[in-house]
Amino acid sequence: MNTRILTLSVASAAILGLAACNSGAETEAPAADAAATDTAAVEAPAAATGTVVTVAQGNPEFTTLVSAVQAAELVETLNGAGPFTVFAPTNAAFEKIPAATRESLMAPAGKADLTGILTYHVVPGNVSAAALAEQITAGGGSATLTTVQGGTLTARAEADGSITLTDAAGNTSRVVQADVAATNGVIHVIDTVVMPG
């Protein structure tokens, strides 16, 4: 039970961290113009200024993510030592999910599903964009990432130099900003919410 709570907390913190890093990092992964548009208003400091949760809370592009982490009661966990690698969806990414589904997940009855989704965005350890690119190269074009939720994401390098993630359902998300630093990990901003299945 404690392990499950810790895992969920870590995942939430990682997600918040990614969101926070998104607003504070200036290093961007190469991305298509459409992907860059999703994060055009996101600004971030060059150095880590707080945990992934703190960084996310200070970024207006991650209000939905922060609300989700709070609803799943993962704030305290994600403020932990880590380190966490969080693939953080922006508000625009969450808006791609039908409103009724979002409302259902944010309701008390949806807490378990919400927690599973949030922890699916978190990978243990501090995986920089450069380290991820090395894993993809070593894997012959793809790398399998095991998430805190227990599922996997497949990372690939695209022809334009950007990195994409494919979730368990076969949906694809693009990293639109990489290496946003937090004191307990790193955040990579993504343009689509990934789903565990």
Side-chain angles (χ1 to χ4, degrees):
M1 183 77 165
N2 289 338
T3 301
R4 178 177 173 82
I5 292 173
L6 175 61
T7 298
L8 293 179
S9 296
V10 169
S12 298
I15 292 176
L16 289 180
L18 286 182
C21 289
N22 181 25
S23 60
E26 293 188 14
T27 301
E28 295 186 14
D33 291 342
T37 300
D38 284 344
T39 59
V42 178
E43 297 178 3
T49 58
T51 65
V52 291
V53 173
T54 303
V55 174
Q57 289 173 330
N59 186 335
E61 288 297 314
F62 295 103
T63 56
T64 303
L65 177 61
V66 170
S67 293
V69 170
Q70 292 169 340
E73 298 181 358
L74 294 174
V75 173
E76 187 175 341
T77 300
L78 294 178
N79 274 328
F84 312 110
T85 297
V86 179
F87 292 97
T90 62
N91 292 340
F94 278 103
E95 288 174 12
K96 294 178 183 180
I97 298 171
T101 301
R102 292 196 312 266
E103 290 173 13
S104 175
L105 288 169
M106 296 293 281
K111 182 178 175 183
D113 289 337
L114 178 61
T115 299
I117 291 168
L118 292 176
T119 56
Y120 189 61
H121 287 77
V122 180
V123 173
N126 191 331
V127 183
S128 67
L132 183 54
E134 289 177 9
Q135 290 179 30
I136 292 169
T137 299
S142 68
T144 300
L145 306 173
T146 300
T147 69
V148 171
Q149 180 266 352
T152 60
L153 290 167
T154 302
R156 292 184 177 84
E158 300 301 321
D160 64 0
S162 65
I163 292 177
T164 59
L165 301 174
T166 303
D167 65 20
N171 301 309
T172 301
S173 178
R174 183 178 303 270
V175 174
V176 294
Q177 186 171 2
D179 294 336
V180 177
T183 56
N184 63 345
V186 63
I187 295 169
H188 302 303
V189 183
I190 56 175
D191 67 358
T192 304
V193 175
V194 290
M195 296 292 187

